[in-house]
Amino acid sequence: GEALADAFRELGVESGAAIKMQRNEGGAFPTHFDNPGPPSKRFLTCVLYLGCADGAPVSAADGGAIVLAPFLARRARIAPLHNRLVVFRSDTVLHEVVPWTGASPRLAASFWFDSSLVNRPEELELTRDRLAFPSWDDAAAFFQTSPLQRCVSRAVYPLRRPSPTARIAGSGSRRRRDR
């Protein structure tokens, strides 16, 4: 516990967290950042997958994977397996959740932690000097760690939306598949 508390202090993580318990009976989340920009101070996203509501193991056919798309890096597709914890930066990791099609609802807990080190004015200013890079590699390195990538990522990555037949998690009904 002390090591985690020390790491959170170094990251400027403020006490307390926003917590959301989820019981997803289907749907998906389109490509997004959990921190859309100021005035949000959301810094760290943690998703703990709790498995299926009926206790059955999650299978690859159930869907529901979270797909992380770190800027200018390879996407990572992570299955929502029981007791799996996924942790990523809220302000710099674009992500989506693919449709859940399992016969039993998926259970998860999401935690969002704020930090005083996110969306500071000096990080968000677009000036000619700030954006003068000696090489493409230097520009890529800058945007991989800058919250300004939220603007640029829309031009780099296609914003994938769920299919018209998939619903956004938390709204409407869906068709269940047979097991």
Side-chain angles (χ1 to χ4, degrees), residues 46-123:
C46 305
V47 181
L48 176 61
Y49 292 106
L50 303 171
C52 295
D54 65 2
V58 174
S59 77
D62 290 333
I66 189 167
V67 181
L68 305 179
F71 193 71
L72 300 179
R74 185 175 291 243
R75 287 178 177 260
R77 185 182 187 99
I78 304 168
L81 301 180
H82 182 256
N83 284 338
R84 175 170 278 170
L85 178 66
V86 180
V87 179
F88 56 94
R89 289 278 305 262
S90 306
D91 61 330
T92 60
V93 178
L94 190 65
H95 62 285
E96 67 182 291
V97 177
V98 300
W100 173 257
T101 58
S104 178
R106 182 189 70 174
L107 304 176
S110 296
F111 306 85
W112 295 279
F113 296 92
D114 287 354
S115 172
S116 58
L117 303 178
V118 174
N119 292 328
R120 294 177 296 177
E122 63 271 18
E123 290 182 319

Side-chain angles (χ1 to χ4, degrees), residues 29-36 43 45 65-78 86-97 143-144 146-161:
F29 288 100
T31 306
H32 67 284
F33 289 97
D34 281 349
N35 179 331
F43 173 72
T45 297
I66 189 167
V67 181
L68 305 179
F71 193 71
L72 300 179
R74 185 175 291 243
R75 287 178 177 260
R77 185 182 187 99
I78 304 168
V86 180
V87 179
F88 56 94
R89 289 278 305 262
S90 306
D91 61 330
T92 60
V93 178
L94 190 65
H95 62 285
E96 67 182 291
V97 177
F143 281 107
Q144 284 175 330
S146 170
L148 293 172
Q149 69 168 269
R150 289 184 300 244
C151 300
V152 178
S153 67
R154 298 317 190 230
V156 174
Y157 294 106
L159 294 183
R160 294 187 238 195
R161 300 281 180 201

